[in-house]
Amino acid sequence: MKSSHRTCLSVFWNAFLPNNVVLVQALGLCPILAMGINLRYGVALSVCTIVTMGIADLFFALLAKRLAALLQPLVYVLLSTVLLFGASVLLHELISTEIYAHLYLFLPLMAVNTLYVYRSALSPSVTRNRLSVAMADSFGSSLGFSLVLCVASALREMAIAGTLWQIPLGYDARFPEAAHPFIGFVLLGFMAATLQWVKQLFRRKEEEELL
């Protein structure tokens, strides 16, 4: 049991940060570049991603063995599309029409984003893994994506409007150009470089301990 828990934690942590889907694998960039300009939008998109990807991966871990391997990626994308469309309806009806107005076009399209397409390509291997390992990888990946999205959204909102969660921060400096996708791409580049620098520091420390 302890070994199983360690395996799940290791899989989760590796997917969450060391092998982050955005900063290491360069997946899911478009939603961050286009919509990651406001923390409220970032959190809403993150929650939708975590829930829909978790449900899709759970479905495949439990039931997709009955599907032919060639059909599994297609079914994964179609299921994700339906789930994301349902999430957009719930967002509009129950949470915020303002957030929905900014995200409604992107939510259904997330199903053909590289993040979901990559997960669909992994669907045959998901069905071969234990449920706990498959879900640890799913939540690690979606939470890792959400972390990057929310950090980028917060930093860009602070630069564009001088607010955080639309609360004024009390300074006058503004950088409206931060709303441009190019600036978001540059920011992701700095974040990816920082992650690699931290990984190098830990790797050197481990090597020094072995000497």
Side-chain angles (χ1 to χ4, degrees), residues 20-176:
N20 186 273
V21 291
V22 180
L23 301 181
V24 177
Q25 302 180 59
L27 300 172
L29 298 180
C30 290
I32 299 176
L33 299 178
M35 299 307 297
I37 58 174
N38 179 292
L39 183 56
R40 293 178 72 214
Y41 305 157
V43 169
L45 191 57
S46 295
V47 172
C48 291
T49 301
I50 293 167
V51 172
T52 55
M53 189 180 292
I55 293 173
D57 285 343
L58 179 62
F59 171 83
F60 269 82
L62 293 174
L63 302 175
K65 289 181 180 179
R66 300 178 183 179
L67 294 173
L70 289 176
L71 290 177
Q72 289 180 15
L74 176 61
V75 174
Y76 188 99
V77 170
L78 291 174
L79 175 60
S80 299
T81 302
V82 172
L83 290 170
L84 286 162
F85 179 77
S88 67
V89 172
L90 291 175
L91 181 63
H92 177 264
E93 297 295 332
L94 301 178
I95 301 176
S96 170
T97 55
E98 181 241 335
I99 295 177
Y100 169 80
H102 285 82
L103 299 182
Y104 78 96
L105 182 63
F106 284 86
L107 279 174
L109 289 176
M110 280 285 290
V112 291
N113 179 266
T114 52
L115 179 61
Y116 280 84
V117 172
Y118 173 74
R119 299 297 300 179
S120 73
L122 288 180
S123 55
S125 65
V126 169
T127 62
R128 292 194 294 269
N129 285 330
R130 295 198 314 271
L131 176 62
S132 57
V133 173
M135 296 313 297
D137 180 69
S138 174
F139 285 115
S141 297
S142 59
L143 285 170
F145 168 81
S146 300
L147 173 67
V148 176
L149 172 58
C150 289
V151 170
S153 298
L155 292 174
R156 291 172 79 187
E157 180 184 353
M158 292 165 65
I160 295 165
T163 63
L164 188 62
W165 201 265
Q166 297 185 345
I167 299 172
L169 297 178
Y171 58 84
D172 296 327
R174 299 289 185 273
F175 184 53

Side-chain angles (χ1 to χ4, degrees), residues 184-201:
F185 195 79
V186 172
L187 176 60
L188 290 180
F190 276 108
M191 294 172 67
T194 301
L195 176 61
Q196 293 302 321
W197 176 69
V198 172
K199 288 167 66 175
Q200 286 286 350
L201 287 180

